Amino acid sequence: MTDLSPTERTRLGRLAEKGRADRQELYDLLDTALVAHVGLDAGGYPLVLPTAYAVDLDGPDRDGTLYFHGSVAARWLVAARGSKVCVTITEVDGLVAARSGFESSMNFRTAVVLGEARVVEDPDERTRALDLMVDHMVPGRAATIRRPTRKELAATMVLAVPLYEASLKVRAGGPDDEDDDVADNPWGGHIPLYRVAGTPVGDEGSRGPVPDDVRRRAEQLGALDAG
């Protein structure tokens, strides 16, 4: 595994000390988060849209592959294919209650991935990418549900971005208050934030108990509250 060696485009400027060089930390964030934002040039103006995603660390691209998908008729996906894109993933871990507005902040983990969006044409890679996207939401789910039809596959475009050119920035802990502010105001700190799942809710057509894969996923996310 290679470190996150900065390129000219991913080298951090302000607060560079919050940058992380351990690529495993990047992979851990990508495994935890659920939503990516894809930025691209949409015909002369910038466009940033949220999307589900998945990662294959053994994918065909350098240092692994990030996948996202959508309708073949989606204009933003058409604009993205073969183009340079910026993919960002962020988790907010806390609110920093500082003793000044200047030092007030958030605790976060945020990744930026830059690269050319490749259209996935190989049928096996497409199938694996789509399964990974299902499993990213609920691990093991893809093996328990109906396989996509040829019509559904024909209507779906899958794009891939290498994980090679990426950066990771992390902030944790309390505020970086000035000594005078600490002396004047007795309390400063942070409010931890957690994403916690509730009990699975079946729809009107559900029969029998909650499937094991869904139950396990809810329990896993519910356990995050315990820290």
Side-chain angles (χ1 to χ4, degrees):
M1 182 188 302
T2 60
D3 287 338
L4 282 172
S5 301
T7 65
E8 183 178 348
R9 299 191 299 178
T10 60
R11 185 172 289 105
L12 299 179
R14 186 174 179 274
L15 301 179
E17 69 277 5
K18 291 181 170 55
R20 301 298 177 91
D22 186 349
R23 184 168 286 274
Q24 185 58 53
E25 287 191 69
L26 169 68
Y27 295 158
D28 290 344
L29 171 59
L30 296 176
D31 183 58
T32 300
L34 294 173
V35 177
H37 285 81
V38 180
L40 63 144
D41 181 348
Y45 62 91
L47 183 66
V48 179
L49 290 175
T51 183
Y53 72 93
V55 167
D56 186 356
L57 299 185
D58 297 319
D61 300 290
R62 185 173 179 181
D63 289 320
T65 304
L66 183 148
Y67 294 106
F68 55 95
H69 75 302
S71 168
V72 293
R75 287 181 294 177
W76 75 277
L77 274 181
V78 173
R81 62 185 183 186
S83 300
K84 295 177 181 178
V85 299
C86 174
V87 183
T88 61
I89 299 96
T90 299
E91 287 282 275
V92 178
D93 298 320
L95 306 177
V96 180
R99 296 172 176 85
S100 69
F102 186 80
E103 295 296 345
S104 297
S105 185
M106 295 184 185
N107 287 334
F108 60 85
R109 290 162 289 150
T110 187
V112 176
V113 181
L114 302 175
E116 185 173 301
R118 170 178 61 87
V119 179
V120 178
E121 304 283 6
D122 179 77
D124 290 338
E125 186 185 0
R126 275 170 52 85
T127 298
R128 176 165 171 75
L130 292 171
D131 284 350
L132 286 171
M133 283 184 233
V134 173
D135 285 345
H136 186 65
M137 291 184 287
V138 180
R141 187 72 176 158
T144 69
I145 57 178
R146 175 181 64 78
R147 304 304 298 162
T149 65
R150 274 194 274 183
K151 182 179 179 180
E152 289 170 338
L153 290 173
T156 303
M157 184 189 305
V158 179
L159 298 181
V161 179
L163 288 173
Y164 163 67
E165 194 172 9
S167 65
L168 178 66
K169 202 171 186 178
V170 176
R171 192 202 188 282
D176 300 320
D177 283 324
E178 299 290 338
D179 291 342
D180 289 346
D181 291 330
V182 174
D184 292 340
N185 191 328
W187 197 93
H190 69 284
I191 303 170
L193 297 179
Y194 304 98
R195 184 179 66 233
V196 181
T199 302
V201 179
D203 65 11
E204 293 181 357
S206 291
R207 300 178 300 280
V210 175
D212 288 343
D213 52 1
V214 177
R215 176 185 52 78
R216 283 193 300 266
R217 182 57 160 159
E219 290 175 350
Q220 176 199 35
L221 293 174
L224 293 177
D225 191 37

